[in-house]
């Protein structure tokens, strides 16, 4: 008797599709008994398939309606992930609120989120009483985190004058020195992989007093890091090889608790180590269905996950 094969339909934006659905993934999936099939977004989803699992990263009311209709016709199919759960990550306040609700005990490490406030208008932006202890420098991020180019435009603000160039609604998040290294944690259901990457350089006390520009976009800082690595004023970063990874069990516990609380299977979260304490970790961002190709050996857990889900 022929082995039952599993059909996984994927609906992704063209850029995401080119990045994720590579020949190595398709071939590995086939060897696991899984057929990856592109969903035609110009046709009704309910008329396509059959699919044991729908993998998607599309948004909008029409797409949500199509997913609902598909679920009615295919009650046993798995949808990764539910639009309602994904939408929580489109707001930078609600995405991190879940972190504050987690209860995880670890013998030597703690975690949390940076201090942050949301600013909805210019009047509040310049109202110093609204800041409630938030000090410069701060990171300014758009409130909406929907994966668009606009949602990725962030800046490091050193002094009050830098606020002039910001357009609410925005989130102002305290900048915490973290050795110029960020830990990116990729989650594929039960699989958790933590990797380290270069991040914003630490800011010295001299720079906090305004020796730099009042505001610098992340792209400007990145260019300084790439072009002036020998200039200690702008780039004081530990070598990645010298940076100790967070305890795997600690990171895995956080990932699994986040997964349960958010009801998501495909996501990543960014973690920094607070340089003031050493054993204090801060979660600064959570993203749905990230660029898994940046995760070493990304092909391996995806087919296993999809087959298990289906």
């Amino acid at each position: 008797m022929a082995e039952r094969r599993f059909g996984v339909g994927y609906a992704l934006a063209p850029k995401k599709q080119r990045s994720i659905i590579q020949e190595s993934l398709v071939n590995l999936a086939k060897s696991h008994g899984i057929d990856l099939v592109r969903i035609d977004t110009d046709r009704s989803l309910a008329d396509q398939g059959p699919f044991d699992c729908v993998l998607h990263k599309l948004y909008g009311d029409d797409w949500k309606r199509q997913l609902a209709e598909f679920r009615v016709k295919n009650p046993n199919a798995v949808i990764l992930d539910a639009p309602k759960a994904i939408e929580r990550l489109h707001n930078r306040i609600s995405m991190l609120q879940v972190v504050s609700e987690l209860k995880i005990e670890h013998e030597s490490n703690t975690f949390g989120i940076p201090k942050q406030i949301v600013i909805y208008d210019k009047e509040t932006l310049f109202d110093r009483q609204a800041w409630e202890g938030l000090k410069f420098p701060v990171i300014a991020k758009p409130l909406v985190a929907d994966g668009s180019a606009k949602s990725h435009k962030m800046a490091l603000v050193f002094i009050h004058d830098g606020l002039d160039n910001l357009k609410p609604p925005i989130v102002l998040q305290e900048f915490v020195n973290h050795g110029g290294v960020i830990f990116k944690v990729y989650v594929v259901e039960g699989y958790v992989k933590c990797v380290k990457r270069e991040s914003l350089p630490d800011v010295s006390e001299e720079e906090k007093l305004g020796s730099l520009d009042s505001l610098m976009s992340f792209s400007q800082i990145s260019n300084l890091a790439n072009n002036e690595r020998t200039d200690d004023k702008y780039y004081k970063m530990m070598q990645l090889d010298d940076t100790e990874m967070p305890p795997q069990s600690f990171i895995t516990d956080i990932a699994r608790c986040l997964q349960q609380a958010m009801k998501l299977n495909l996501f990543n979260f960014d973690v920094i180590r607070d340089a003031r304490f050493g054993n204090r970790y801060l979660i600064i961002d959570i993203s749905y269905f990230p660029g898994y190709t940046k995760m070493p050996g990304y092909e391996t857990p995806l087919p296993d996950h999809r087959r298990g889900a289906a």
Side-chain angles (χ1 to χ4, degrees), residues 10-163:
Y10 60 87
L12 306 169
K15 183 178 179 180
K16 174 68 74 173
Q17 181 176 308
R18 289 192 299 270
S19 171
I20 293 289
I21 310 300
Q22 299 184 11
E23 185 177 2
S24 57
L25 176 62
V26 173
N27 291 337
L28 186 59
K30 284 183 177 179
S31 71
H32 283 251
I34 301 169
D35 296 317
L36 297 177
V37 181
R38 184 181 70 84
I39 292 172
D40 186 350
T41 54
D42 293 327
R43 296 171 50 207
S44 171
L45 172 62
D47 294 337
Q48 300 181 62
F51 300 126
D52 298 286
C53 175
V54 172
L55 181 70
H56 74 101
K57 192 176 183 180
L58 298 179
Y59 308 117
D61 292 338
D62 180 65
W63 178 247
K64 286 193 290 185
R65 176 187 59 76
Q66 290 196 53
L67 285 173
E69 292 175 355
F70 177 84
R71 183 176 286 282
V72 170
K73 291 184 67 173
N74 303 272
N76 295 323
V78 174
I79 294 178
L80 297 177
D81 276 299
K84 186 176 181 180
I86 296 170
E87 286 170 0
R88 180 174 192 167
L89 300 186
H90 289 175
N91 180 295
R92 284 199 163 89
I93 294 298
S94 62
M95 78 161 58
L96 292 185
Q97 184 179 3
V98 65
V99 178
S100 304
E101 300 167 359
L102 300 183
K103 296 189 185 327
I104 301 174
E105 294 185 3
H106 192 269
E107 57 185 17
S108 59
N109 296 284
T110 63
F111 72 97
I113 62 174
K115 294 178 183 177
Q116 61 180 20
I117 58 173
V118 59
I119 303 293
Y120 291 102
D121 52 63
K122 281 281 189 180
E123 182 179 353
T124 308
L125 184 62
F126 292 101
D127 181 4
R128 301 196 180 207
Q129 292 184 343
W131 286 55
E132 298 181 355
L134 197 62
K135 298 178 181 179
F136 289 105
V138 296
I139 297 174
K141 306 179 177 182
L143 177 62
V144 175
D146 58 3
S148 65
K150 181 180 178 182
S151 69
H152 289 297
K153 290 187 177 179
M154 306 180 196
L156 186 59
V157 185
F158 292 91
I159 57 176
H160 203 266
D161 289 347
L163 301 176

Side-chain angles (χ1 to χ4, degrees), residues 245-262:
M245 295 288 287
Q248 181 64 35
S249 61
F250 179 59
I251 290 296
T252 299
D253 285 346
I254 295 175
R256 289 177 177 168
C257 286
L258 281 175
Q259 183 179 21
Q260 293 172 3
M262 299 189 302

